[in-house]
Amino acid sequence: MFSRFMFYVMNMKLIWKDVFASKTENGLDVHFEKLGNEFFSLYQTLQANPDVHFSLTPAQQLQFNQFFKKMQTLYVNIQEEEIISSVRRLGLIAYRIMMIFSALRIMEDGEITSNLYCNDTDFQNTLDMIAILVKHSSYVYSQIAQETYKPKPKHKKEQFLENLPYHFNRQTYVATALSLGITDKSAQRYIKEFKDADIIQYDGHDQYTNPNAKNPQ
């Protein structure tokens, strides 16, 4: 069931908001009723027309497959295999979001065609959203309580990858590993697995690149 959800973790801010600051004659009920009527009008328009077939362009299909293949490879290497169902489900969710974005475009241009292709902007925006959502899914997955109902820490391998800088060498990755309680031997194995899975790049002469670094430089 975990894979059927999208997760987004929001850090709580200990700031008290002035509950009387908003001065409006119309409340949220009026606002959402107006939005509902707009979308209901779109729904009626779509219902009155023949079925619309939605698809991605060949170039988008190629990018879509490459994006999720890379994501699946990354998370199967830094998490347990069970996370893969979430990655694959996000592929389906991404496609549905693209469909929604494309349908909403009809409200802008009023054009309804039997074959509807995703706008490149909507396509890229969706992938950008998924790139964030998968990180939140991974975080929540790591926090799910075990049988002892204690928070589950991030996998050592994932912590190791996250703490590697954009450019690094053996001395750097060994120091990073030791700071996380990972042995030199385990660090070498992780680096080899990351390299074989094309998660990191070996630039030669004891130089590596980590495209997943938090602050690429």
Side-chain angles (χ1 to χ4, degrees):
M1 291 297 293
F2 179 87
S3 66
R4 294 180 178 271
F5 295 90
M6 289 190 298
F7 295 94
Y8 193 88
V9 180
M10 293 184 288
N11 295 324
M12 181 177 64
K13 295 182 179 180
L14 294 176
I15 300 175
W16 179 264
K17 290 186 176 181
D18 183 355
V19 296
F20 307 105
S22 178
K23 304 296 182 182
T24 177
E25 296 180 359
N26 299 321
L28 290 177
D29 288 343
V30 175
H31 173 71
F32 284 110
E33 182 178 1
K34 181 181 178 182
L35 286 177
N37 289 331
E38 291 180 14
F39 292 125
F40 183 62
S41 177
L42 172 62
Y43 169 78
Q44 289 178 312
T45 300
L46 291 173
Q47 287 293 99
N49 282 272
D51 290 344
V52 176
H53 179 264
F54 173 80
S55 60
L56 304 180
T57 66
Q60 290 171 344
Q61 292 176 21
L62 178 62
Q63 186 178 348
F64 187 97
N65 287 327
Q66 290 175 339
F67 177 86
F68 281 98
K69 180 181 179 181
K70 183 178 180 180
M71 180 182 292
Q72 179 174 267
T73 300
L74 171 62
Y75 281 92
V76 78
N77 275 276
I78 63 176
Q79 276 283 13
E80 299 173 0
E81 287 190 3
E82 286 78 4
I83 193 67
I84 299 307
S85 59
S86 292
V87 174
R88 292 176 177 175
R89 175 69 64 167
L90 282 172
L92 176 60
I93 290 172
Y95 194 78
R96 288 175 173 172
I97 292 175
M98 292 171 187
M99 292 175 68
I100 293 171
F101 283 168
S102 298
L104 293 177
R105 288 284 180 186
I106 296 174
M107 298 177 67
E108 294 182 357
D109 52 37
E111 182 181 354
I112 301 178
T113 60
S114 58
N115 292 303
L116 180 63
Y117 289 94
C118 188
N119 178 291
D120 283 337
T121 299
D122 295 336
F123 176 81
Q124 189 57 54
N125 285 341
T126 301
L127 294 188
D128 289 343
M129 290 169 59
I130 295 298
I132 298 299
L133 290 172
V134 71
K135 293 181 179 180
H136 286 257
S137 292
S138 178
Y139 174 80
V140 173
Y141 179 82
S142 296
Q143 299 304 313
I144 290 179
Q146 298 178 344
E147 292 182 359
T148 55
Y149 298 101
K150 292 182 179 180
K152 189 176 180 181
K154 277 189 175 181
H155 194 284
K156 286 280 188 182
K157 199 173 182 181
E158 182 177 7
Q159 294 180 49
F160 180 52
L161 179 63
E162 286 185 350
N163 282 276
L164 289 174
Y166 188 71
H167 292 298
F168 66 93
N169 55 19
R170 170 175 163 72
Q171 182 180 0
T172 304
Y173 80 66
V174 169
T176 301
L178 292 177
S179 70
L180 296 170
I182 300 171
T183 65
D184 186 332
K185 186 175 181 180
S186 293
Q188 290 183 54
R189 186 176 78 254
Y190 290 163
I191 290 295
K192 183 180 184 303
E193 291 173 355
F194 291 154
K195 187 174 64 172
D196 291 344
D198 202 28
I199 294 173
I200 63 172
Q201 300 164 6
Y202 178 61
D203 303 323
H205 304 293
D206 190 30
Q207 295 297 317
Y208 299 85
T209 298
N210 175 21
N212 303 284
K214 294 179 181 178
N215 298 305
Q217 294 180 352

